[in-house]
Amino acid sequence: MRGVRVVLIGGTSNVGKSTVARAVADGLGFECLSTDELARHPGRPWRTPDREVPPHVAEHYGSLTVDELIRSVLDHYDRLWPRVEELITARAAEDSTGPGLVLEGSALWPVPVAELEVPRTAAVWLTADDAVVRARVRSAGHYETATTAEQHLMDQFLARTTRYQELMLDTVDRLGLDRVDTGTGHSVAESAGSVLAAVDAQVAVGRSPAGG
């Protein structure tokens, strides 16, 4: 790993960031954290066995257009970035006696990450086909048995999620950054291995000689 102490894993919702990040962290003996633990934007708008959708989350997805949802989440990531950068810088500067860090989250927008001048830091973005993301969200939210109102909230979340990925992919490819597909046919172990291979080849944060 050439002394890498911080591995950043970005991507839109439901591409497997948390699962892959945990696998990478386990393989390296690193700690695993999410940017959501620093400050969370309105969460996923569907019920789970132990959680109802909070009223403010339902209002957020129910009242805003997709353009407004995108602007809201990108503004949130802009505000959060100084805290993310501070965490990355501090963990990269630590000596090798403690565990390194795998940090995952949609808040790892490609532009500020690519501008980092922090040694011992690498970054990879995960992607998946829109159909895969849609299927994962609908399965998690039990879309087929949800009410019309609940389906609308999921549809809004999906529209924002796929739009985010579209913007992210354009930026990643324009900057020549590394990305890994985690869609159908890719196991967690395979995706984690692809992340580690990209990290090992990088000559700057997010960039291997071959790019993407």
Side-chain angles (χ1 to χ4, degrees):
M1 289 296 293
R2 303 165 10 265
V4 168
R5 299 290 295 160
V6 177
V7 177
L8 308 175
I9 299 179
T12 197
S13 299
N14 291 88
V15 295
K17 295 188 303 301
S18 297
T19 304
V20 172
R22 284 193 295 270
V24 170
D26 287 346
L28 296 173
F30 282 13
E31 181 183 5
C32 186
L33 295 176
S34 171
T35 57
D36 285 345
E37 296 174 42
L38 301 178
R40 190 173 181 86
H41 195 256
R44 298 174 179 181
W46 55 82
R47 290 184 288 114
T48 65
D50 57 355
R51 173 187 174 274
E52 293 293 326
V53 178
H56 75 280
V57 174
E59 180 180 3
H60 180 77
Y61 289 100
S63 63
L64 299 181
T65 67
V66 174
D67 285 344
E68 289 170 335
L69 290 171
I70 282 288
R71 186 71 266 154
S72 174
V73 75
L74 291 179
D75 285 347
H76 170 70
Y77 295 156
D78 283 343
R79 293 190 298 270
L80 182 58
W81 177 250
R83 295 179 63 188
V84 174
E85 184 176 18
E86 181 180 10
L87 173 61
I88 294 167
T89 302
R91 293 301 294 267
E94 292 179 355
D95 62 37
S96 300
T97 57
L101 173 67
V102 176
L103 180 65
E104 62 86 8
S106 299
L108 298 170
W109 184 250
V111 173
V113 172
E115 293 174 348
L116 283 172
E117 295 183 356
V118 180
R120 304 196 294 178
T121 301
V124 179
W125 284 264
L126 305 186
T127 69
D129 188 82
D130 288 349
V132 172
V133 174
R134 185 180 306 110
R136 289 173 178 173
V137 168
R138 288 186 170 183
S139 175
H142 302 285
Y143 188 89
E144 297 302 323
T145 58
T147 67
T148 299
E150 290 170 335
Q151 289 179 347
H152 175 67
L153 296 182
M154 280 184 267
D155 289 341
Q156 287 290 91
F157 178 88
L158 271 168
R160 190 208 71 178
T161 296
T162 54
R163 178 61 175 153
Y164 176 97
Q165 177 160 259
E166 178 185 348
L167 295 171
M168 184 202 78
L169 280 173
D170 285 347
T171 307
V172 164
D173 289 346
R174 174 173 56 82
L175 295 175
L177 304 173
D178 289 327
R179 57 183 173 95
V180 167
D181 181 28
T182 61
T184 303
H186 298 268
S187 70
V188 172
E190 289 170 337
S191 296
S194 295
V195 168
L196 290 173
V199 166
D200 196 49
Q202 287 183 6
V203 295
V205 179
R207 293 183 177 91
S208 64

